[in-house]
Amino acid sequence: MSTAPTTTTDASPNPVAPAPTRKAPLRPLILRLHFYAGILVAPFLLVAALTGFLYAASYQAEKIMYAHELTVPSGDHKLPLSEQVAAARKAHPQGVVSAVRPSPEADATTRVLLSGVPGVGEGHTLAVFVDPYTAKVRGSLEQYGSTGALPLRTWIDELHRDLRLGENGRLYSELAASWLWVIAAGGLVLWFARRRAQRKVRGTSGRRRTLGLHGTVGVWVAAGFFFLSATGLTWSTYAGANIDELRTSLGQATPSVSASAAAGGEHAGHTGTGSGGTTTTSAPQDLDKILAAARAEGLGDPVEIVVPADASTAYVVKQVQRSWPEKQDSVAVDPTTGKVTDELRFADYPLLAKLTRWGIDAHSGVLFGLVNQIVLMALALCLVLLIVWGYRMWWQRGRASAFGRPIPRGAWQQVPPQILVPLMAAVAVLGYFVPLLGIPLAVFVAVDVVLGEIAYRRGKRTHGGQVA
């Protein structure tokens, strides 16, 4: 009789105790990483989400705020581009013409872009808005970037990108992008590792309800977070440089049209020097011929005519439509002969170059227009809610009186070596290519090990004193 109970008691825990390690040896480690990454990186993600929401909304706000400069009553006949540029130069003689964006629609103005204008920020241009039917100048605004961002959107863009702190400020956004996908992936693993009955929200309360909301919303928007993280890293400082280097090594870099075909002869007499000391071949009479040559090659609106800096290069006309379907074809035109010297079609871009272009434009909110912007704003709001619920769960771990206990150490010791070693190698490689993921992770592990050793020795001394 005594043997049977002993056998039953010893046998019953054995199948149960190792089960968590066999089934989910990584779960404690993922839980600890998700917890600490969420706590430490969440403030950066919160700022990125709020500023990203504002940026997505800035497209529509820009149309309203600058309606006078951007739109005109539709007319019957647009004036030659040379007359429109001449009107802009008469109103703003300083600087040099660096590019021209002809009116792309019946009710849109023409933009004449001037560089080297005093008071205009470095890397920015002064956009002079001209009525294409009357050549009347309707105003001028500082412009930035290939999407033609005006002051409101530029200010919000800089806030989102670097908190308006310059290059050092870009570390915050790269840190957020580097960790967003890690936190999202960890949350997915933890959510689906839970029993189905524990995932429900209805009928629950307290911390369990908060966890249910956090997990449910997180699962629905995880794909969007992966996308934002990947595309955000594409043009980040450090990870972006590594991605560019990798694409180049694979022959997948973004190509560009060659403007090296020199335009000589009579065209050389059209060069001039602006207030910025930059030489330009911006003779107004050339622009209509340049645009006509591009139109003959099938380049429809919207386009931008890039004026060369000297007489040894050709003009470049490129399509600038970033909405779907993308129009990114470009040609180089010799203004002397009016012949196209080189052309580049978006259809001929390498696959990764196309994916990068589409990804960046979708991340920026221009690929699918208003729908794209609404989706981005929804993702930003969901991220804010997830962060709030995450901190609330931490608070509720302390029973609503103080922030709760941290996840205990030692989770990595539960991972079998055959899983742990390849995992560490993969993390090391990933950390090399995404340094603002790898460096903080290494620092966290180092600090955690030191704190653990201190706690162990302190406990050992206390234990020794009790024994003595």
Side-chain angles (χ1 to χ4, degrees), residues 364-434:
S364 301
V366 297
L367 187 60
F368 300 110
L370 180 60
V371 173
N372 196 164
Q373 294 149 24
I374 292 175
V375 170
L376 290 175
M377 287 188 282
L379 285 174
L381 287 177
C382 288
L383 183 54
V384 171
L385 288 174
L386 290 171
I387 291 170
V388 172
W389 285 328
Y391 277 114
R392 179 168 174 76
M393 280 191 296
W394 186 25
W395 175 269
Q396 289 172 329
R397 280 175 63 86
R399 299 180 182 178
S401 61
F403 282 113
R405 302 178 305 278
I407 304 300
R409 297 186 182 90
W412 64 272
Q413 296 175 349
Q414 302 179 35
V415 183
Q418 62 269 26
I419 297 178
L420 183 61
V421 173
L423 180 64
M424 292 176 63
V427 170
V429 173
L430 184 62
Y432 174 80
F433 284 101
V434 188

Side-chain angles (χ1 to χ4, degrees), residues 15-286:
V16 178
T21 303
R22 286 201 305 266
K23 290 183 179 179
L26 289 176
R27 189 179 186 280
L29 184 63
I30 294 173
L31 178 61
R32 182 165 167 79
L33 177 63
H34 184 75
F35 174 81
Y36 278 107
I39 295 298
L40 300 176
V41 182
F44 300 97
L45 290 173
L46 182 61
V47 173
L50 293 174
T51 56
F53 179 91
L54 292 176
Y55 184 76
S58 68
Y59 285 94
Q60 303 306 316
E62 186 177 70
K63 293 178 181 179
I64 297 172
M65 180 173 290
Y66 305 119
H68 177 74
E69 289 83 2
L70 294 172
T71 59
V72 294
S74 299
D76 297 326
H77 176 69
K78 292 182 179 180
L79 297 173
L81 196 58
S82 57
E83 292 186 28
Q84 300 177 49
V85 175
R89 294 299 286 149
K90 183 177 180 181
H92 295 274
Q94 293 183 309
V96 295
V97 179
S98 59
V100 179
R101 293 192 174 189
S103 169
E105 298 168 347
D107 63 345
T109 53
T110 292
R111 296 194 194 190
V112 180
L113 306 180
L114 306 177
S115 60
V117 178
V120 175
E122 184 179 358
H124 296 205
T125 56
L126 181 68
V128 183
F129 299 87
V130 183
D131 186 329
Y133 303 102
T134 64
K136 179 181 178 181
V137 174
R138 295 181 63 85
S140 61
L141 295 167
E142 195 166 325
Q143 176 177 304
Y144 171 75
S146 58
T147 61
L150 298 177
L152 173 65
R153 185 152 58 93
T154 298
W155 193 92
I156 297 175
D157 175 39
E158 292 174 349
L159 183 67
H160 177 63
R161 184 176 66 248
D162 57 22
L163 300 178
R164 297 182 60 81
L165 297 176
E167 284 301 314
N168 292 332
R170 295 187 67 178
L171 296 177
Y172 113 86
S173 58
E174 184 167 353
L175 179 69
S178 299
W179 281 91
L180 177 58
W181 72 272
V182 176
I183 297 173
L188 285 176
V189 172
L190 295 173
W191 182 249
F192 286 109
R194 292 173 63 85
R195 291 193 298 271
R196 190 177 185 85
Q198 295 178 331
R199 300 180 199 163
K200 65 179 183 178
V201 178
R202 187 175 300 176
T204 60
S205 60
R207 185 174 182 274
R208 186 175 175 184
R209 179 174 178 80
T210 306
L211 176 59
L213 291 169
H214 181 87
T216 302
V217 174
V219 167
W220 279 103
V221 299
F225 290 165
F226 286 130
F227 171 79
L228 291 177
S229 180
T231 53
L233 289 174
T234 301
W235 73 87
S236 61
T237 301
Y238 299 106
N242 290 332
I243 293 172
D244 287 343
E245 184 177 345
L246 177 62
R247 285 175 52 204
T248 301
S249 65
L250 296 174
Q252 296 288 310
T254 301
S256 59
V257 68
S258 174
S260 60
E266 63 190 57
H267 179 67
H270 295 317
T271 60
T273 303
S275 61
T278 304
T279 301
T280 178
T281 56
S282 58
Q285 60 267 32
D286 290 337

Side-chain angles (χ1 to χ4, degrees), residues 295-341:
R295 298 294 194 210
E297 293 296 321
L299 270 67
D301 287 321
V303 298
E304 178 178 288
I305 305 172
V306 180
V307 179
D310 53 55
S312 65
T313 53
Y315 282 69
V316 171
V317 183
K318 56 184 180 181
Q319 292 178 310
V320 291
Q321 178 170 303
R322 296 292 180 81
S323 58
W324 189 267
E326 297 244 0
K327 293 183 179 180
Q328 295 292 311
D329 294 348
S330 56
V331 296
V333 182
D334 185 333
T336 304
T337 63
K339 292 183 178 180
V340 172
T341 59

